């Protein structure tokens, strides 16, 4: 699968975020093992979390992150599904 923008699939709010970032996924197959990786804009991996296959939403605590832009990459066993940016304020 090729990486595409997840704007239609991935909903991040609030964006910019200060404490919690809520991530909702539409259009993804349920019961599929997925993971979220969060990178800073220098490409450093800050967080990896497995998503419950039965859910399409999760919350990430970003309160300890520095202000700036970050990239969220969602993948499954077949590879990267896509990515989206969020701002930490």
């Amino acid at each position: 699968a090729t990486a595409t923008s997840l704007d239609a699939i991935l909903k991040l709010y609030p964006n910019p975020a200060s404490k919690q970032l809520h991530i909702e996924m539409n259009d993804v197959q349920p019961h599929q093992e997925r993971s979220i990786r969060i990178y800073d804009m220098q490409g450093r991996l800050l967080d990896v979390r497995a998503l419950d296959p039965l859910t399409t939403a999760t919350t990430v605590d970003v309160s300890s992150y520095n202000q700036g832009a970050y990239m969220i990459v969602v993948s499954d066993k077949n590879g990267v599904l896509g990515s989206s940016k969020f701002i930490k304020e």
Side-chain angles (χ1 to χ4, degrees), residues 37-88:
R37 289 179 166 77
I38 301 176
Y39 296 90
D40 65 16
M41 295 320 276
Q42 287 72 45
R44 288 183 293 247
L45 180 62
L46 304 177
D47 194 6
V48 179
R49 57 183 65 210
L51 292 175
D52 181 336
L54 300 178
T55 189
T56 57
T58 190
T59 300
V60 177
D61 180 358
V62 296
S63 60
S64 64
Y65 289 18
N66 293 325
Q67 289 184 336
Y70 294 87
M71 183 70 68
I72 289 187
V73 177
V74 179
S75 55
D76 66 11
K77 65 180 197 265
N78 298 316
V80 173
L81 296 171
S83 60
S84 190
K85 247 194 261 190
F86 74 94
I87 305 293
K88 165 64 166 72

Side-chain angles (χ1 to χ4, degrees), residues 25-36:
M25 285 165 286
N26 307 311
D27 253 17
V28 284
Q29 296 186 345
H31 313 296
Q32 193 77 312
E33 295 282 332
R34 295 180 308 272
S35 67
I36 290 178

